[in-house]
Amino acid sequence: DIKHQHQKSRGSSGINAEYGVHGEGNVKIRTKNGNSELEFKPAKLSDKGTCTCSAEGQGTTDSVDIQVGGVENEVTITPKVTELTCKQGDASRCVIEFDVTSTIGDPGANDVKFWKLKDGELDEKSSSSKEGNTFSRVFGQWKKPSRSGQYVVVVTVKGKTYQSEPVTLTVLPKD
């Protein structure tokens, strides 16, 4: 019977967990089969600091300080929505959009590719269009139920690649 505790030095957000997923805000502790993982999702620069992991067993305790570092992202990719539902045959727009900001260069439409994921891996690539810092992928005549799935963008700036979190697209069949 092991208990884990997470406490940030910049604030006190004590969390005890015997199993499952516990946490506050973007910080989660996942415990499974006697192992625990500390997860920051999404990671924020404000998460930088010291975390203390404590374990208590029968008649024994132990702890370790973990330094959490971080620097500001060079490229930030933010989806306009994380889930999108469209209907086959409907005339309304069906478009996935991401805002991309960069401190190391201005990516163009050729630098940003949309990918459909299959089993969590990049599978089908398509191009994007750009308006300001917004990159989009429109599903006009391709708005079919078979296009449903998770989509990410991969941005390449100065030879470095950055991948977004996925957006889930659901295309409902015609009536």
Side-chain angles (χ1 to χ4, degrees), residues 54-65:
S54 300
E56 296 176 17
Q58 292 180 339
T60 185
T61 62
D62 199 3
S63 67
V64 64
D65 287 340

Side-chain angles (χ1 to χ4, degrees), residues 3 21 29 60 74 96 106-107 112 122 131 143 147 150:
K3 295 182 180 179
V21 179
I29 298 174
T60 185
E74 296 174 319
I96 297 176
D106 186 26
V112 179
L122 301 177
E131 187 174 318
K143 192 169 37 175
R147 304 304 282 172
Q150 292 190 316

Side-chain angles (χ1 to χ4, degrees), residues 85-94 139-144 171-175:
T85 301
C86 303
K87 188 166 186 172
Q88 183 181 17
D90 190 342
S92 63
R93 278 181 55 132
C94 184
F139 294 86
Q141 65 180 350
W142 297 106
K143 192 169 37 175
K144 299 176 182 174
V171 180
L172 302 173
K174 293 180 188 179
D175 288 333

Side-chain angles (χ1 to χ4, degrees), residues 4-8 13-15 27 29 38 40 51-54:
H4 307 273
Q5 185 177 37
H6 159 258
Q7 189 169 0
K8 296 276 303 180
S13 58
I15 302 163
V27 181
I29 298 174
L38 178 64
F40 296 89
C51 292
T52 300
C53 180
S54 300

Side-chain angles (χ1 to χ4, degrees), residues 32-131:
K32 185 176 181 183
N33 299 329
N35 295 310
S36 295
E37 294 179 355
L38 178 64
E39 178 182 89
F40 296 89
K41 189 172 182 178
K44 301 175 186 172
L45 196 54
S46 61
D47 293 323
K48 190 174 178 179
T50 303
C51 292
T52 300
C53 180
S54 300
E56 296 176 17
Q58 292 180 339
T60 185
T61 62
D62 199 3
S63 67
V64 64
D65 287 340
I66 303 167
Q67 293 296 320
V68 177
V71 295
E72 195 69 48
N73 289 340
E74 296 174 319
V75 174
T76 303
I77 307 168
T78 309
K80 294 273 187 170
V81 297
T82 56
E83 294 184 15
L84 177 65
T85 301
C86 303
K87 188 166 186 172
Q88 183 181 17
D90 190 342
S92 63
R93 278 181 55 132
C94 184
V95 58
I96 297 176
E97 297 177 307
F98 288 87
D99 286 333
V100 178
T101 56
S102 171
T103 60
I104 59 171
D106 186 26
N110 289 335
D111 303 314
V112 179
K113 300 296 182 197
F114 278 76
W115 287 85
K116 183 177 182 186
L117 299 179
K118 181 176 183 182
D119 299 325
E121 300 293 325
L122 301 177
D123 186 48
E124 296 175 31
K125 180 172 65 170
S126 56
S127 60
S128 68
S129 57
K130 179 182 181 185
E131 187 174 318

